[in-house]
Amino acid sequence: MPQAAGPAGTDPSGTSSGVPSGARPTAAPPTAAPASPTPPSDGAPSAASSVTAAGLPALRRRISAVLILSQILGGLGVATGIALASVLAQEVSGTEALSGLAPTATVAGTALLSVPLAALMTSRGRRPGLVLAYVIGAAGAGVVVVAAVLGSFPLLLAGMAGFGAGSSANLQARFAAADLAEPERRGRAISTVVWATTIGAVLGPNIAAPAGRSVSGLGIPAAAGPFLWAAGVFLVSAALVAVLLRPDPLLTARALAAGTEEADDPGGRSLRAGLRAVRKSPHARLALVTVAVSHTAMVSIMSMTPVALSHHGADITLIGLVISGHIAGMYAFSPLMGWLSDRLGRLSVIGLAVGLLAVAALLAGTAGSSHGRTAAGLFVLGLGWSAGLVSGSALLTDSVPQAARAAVQGLSDLTMNTAAGIGGAGAGLVVAQAGYGWLNAVGALLLLPLAALALRRKRA
């Protein structure tokens, strides 16, 4: 495959064609000239359109700092609630078979909100989309608390779906980090924001117990206490993004790209245009499969691990520690995954993701009553997810024109969370009927199509 001569994700004629063989990013031409002083037609503020190449490095650092702080808080909110989601669902529904529907509802909510949030970001920028996502997440967490008090399982699922908006915000933030990044550093830019989630995400499960105790005198079930805390954290995150994420990174990127055919085509920013861009690029299709399979395998196994641990005598503290180790694997090593993705190529790290996820399924699926083996499996599961998400997200951004990126990124989150929602829904049934070991076996089987597709692109 010939080397690209134009912007990343395009061939010399400007048509989307994926990235060069090996899926290494190509450096963009230097941006020595200032952006056009005319504000873009989509309403970008004048601050975005006045950014010059000389001021771009400082702007990148400031935008990254805001995204990192919001990710710490957002990760704390999501992890605090999700740690006991399946346990709360089992308490409210009264049956283990339905316990997997709570995290599944969260994933489904994340998926359903991906399209409207992507549409809002495409037309208005990252900031309003992220703020709205955090506000919806806070409202959903509040509904979960009400449902737990009333003992209403349908209301609980509705609240969990809204709670999923917090995950939507965290996922979209990684693409906001890539908006202004140089092509050869996109992997690291994405991974830095993903890494920032580590702090809040690791703390979250460990404060689930004190959060539960804090509501004991309010008539709220202990397993619902973390959701009350999560609601407050999401509102703080929304305020932070609304005030400090200025100028908007996506609108700034468009202003800097003003004058190019792909950046100035309003039709190129629709979700339909995003679908067309994916169909034209084999690497974009591989990227979508990578994030979907990695996320589905991770969600399916992780969501039922607390139930499996409780069957083998683990208390809430031990469950929190195991989930914390899993989340550390997901986020703490993402800078390494980003560095490897930029240095070795996206396809090599996708192969690494397949290997790590397979090992995780083997460890967790054969753990039995060994809590240490289960913890090791969940940690490796997090590493595999990190490798798949970072490399897949970077490959997706590389492989489509700038104008279509926001739409394609929303499509990516829709695809990955829809697939994970289906997997999570089936996870509870598989565990109830066949056991936790078989759930891990099914997760490993999901990796086979991804491995075949990645190998095919590697040889192309």
Side-chain angles (χ1 to χ4, degrees):
M1 188 177 296
Q3 294 289 330
T10 63
D11 64 17
S13 64
T15 303
S16 175
S17 60
V19 293
S21 178
R24 283 194 178 90
T26 56
T31 53
S36 168
T38 304
S41 59
D42 60 9
S46 58
S49 60
S50 63
V51 173
T52 64
L56 194 54
L59 177 59
R60 287 188 183 115
R61 290 191 295 270
R62 185 159 60 81
I63 292 296
S64 179
V66 175
L67 291 172
I68 287 171
L69 184 54
S70 70
Q71 282 293 90
I72 292 172
L73 293 172
L76 177 63
V78 171
T80 300
I82 207 65
L84 296 180
S86 58
V87 175
L88 179 61
Q90 185 173 340
E91 290 180 1
V92 175
S93 68
T95 174
E96 178 185 298
L98 298 179
S99 60
L101 291 182
T104 298
T106 301
V107 174
T110 305
L112 291 173
L113 289 165
S114 296
V115 172
L117 288 175
L120 177 61
M121 291 182 188
T122 297
S123 62
R124 301 288 300 278
R126 301 290 186 193
R127 186 173 64 255
L130 292 175
V131 169
L132 179 61
Y134 280 129
V135 170
I136 294 175
V143 171
V144 169
V145 175
V146 173
V149 173
L150 299 178
S152 172
F153 189 64
L155 187 62
L156 174 71
L157 295 183
M160 292 300 300
F163 181 77
S167 294
S168 294
N170 289 348
L171 289 170
Q172 282 294 317
R174 76 191 193 277
F175 291 125
D179 286 334
L180 294 174
E182 306 98 316
E184 69 275 13
R185 293 185 62 87
R186 281 195 186 116
R188 278 165 282 187
I190 290 171
S191 66
T192 298
V193 172
V194 172
W195 169 85
T197 312
T198 307
I199 300 173
V202 171
L203 288 175
N206 287 293
I207 66 173
R213 291 192 295 268
S214 71
V215 300
S216 60
L218 303 177
I220 298 174
F227 289 93
L228 187 62
W229 286 31
V233 171
F234 284 156
L235 290 177
V236 173
S237 299
L240 174 72
V241 172
V243 173
L244 299 180
L245 195 65
R246 299 172 182 272
D248 189 283
L250 178 59
L251 300 186
T252 302
R254 287 180 182 166
L256 291 170
T260 64
E261 180 180 352
E262 65 177 29
D264 289 343
D265 178 16
R269 299 173 187 169
S270 67
L271 291 176
R272 183 174 298 178
L275 285 169
R276 288 198 302 268
V278 170
R279 285 198 298 267
K280 289 179 180 179
S281 172
H283 281 98
R285 295 195 295 271
L286 171 60
L288 284 180
V289 173
T290 298
V291 295
V293 170
S294 300
H295 198 56
T296 301
M298 185 276 292
V299 169
S300 300
I301 295 172
M302 181 274 293
S303 65
M304 295 310 299
T305 298
V307 175
L309 285 169
S310 66
H311 283 171
H312 292 288
D315 60 14
I316 187 173
T317 301
L318 179 57
I319 291 173
L321 289 173
V322 171
I323 298 301
S324 290
H326 165 67
I327 295 174
M330 290 174 65
Y331 300 116
F333 295 88
S334 57
L336 173 62
M337 301 305 177
W339 182 81
L340 290 173
S341 181
D342 288 339
R343 289 294 300 270
L344 303 181
R346 320 303 192 202
L347 299 184
S348 295
V349 180
I350 289 174
L352 174 63
V354 171
L356 289 170
L357 292 169
V359 170
L362 177 63
L363 288 172
T366 59
S369 60
S370 173
H371 296 152
R373 192 179 180 93
T374 301
L378 266 287
F379 175 75
V380 177
L381 182 71
L383 288 178
W385 177 88
S386 179
L389 184 76
V390 170
S391 59
S393 299
L395 180 60
L396 185 69
T397 303
D398 292 340
S399 303
V400 296
Q402 196 278 338
R405 281 176 190 161
V408 170
Q409 289 158 354
L411 177 64
S412 170
D413 285 352
L414 170 64
T415 302
M416 67 185 280
N417 286 293
T418 299
I422 295 171
L429 296 176
V430 172
V431 170
Q433 298 298 321
Y436 182 68
W438 278 103
L439 173 63
N440 282 271
V442 172
L445 288 175
L446 293 176
L447 302 173
L448 295 178
L450 172 58
L453 184 58
L455 185 61
R456 180 180 178 183
R457 295 314 315 160
K458 186 75 171 178
R459 291 176 175 176

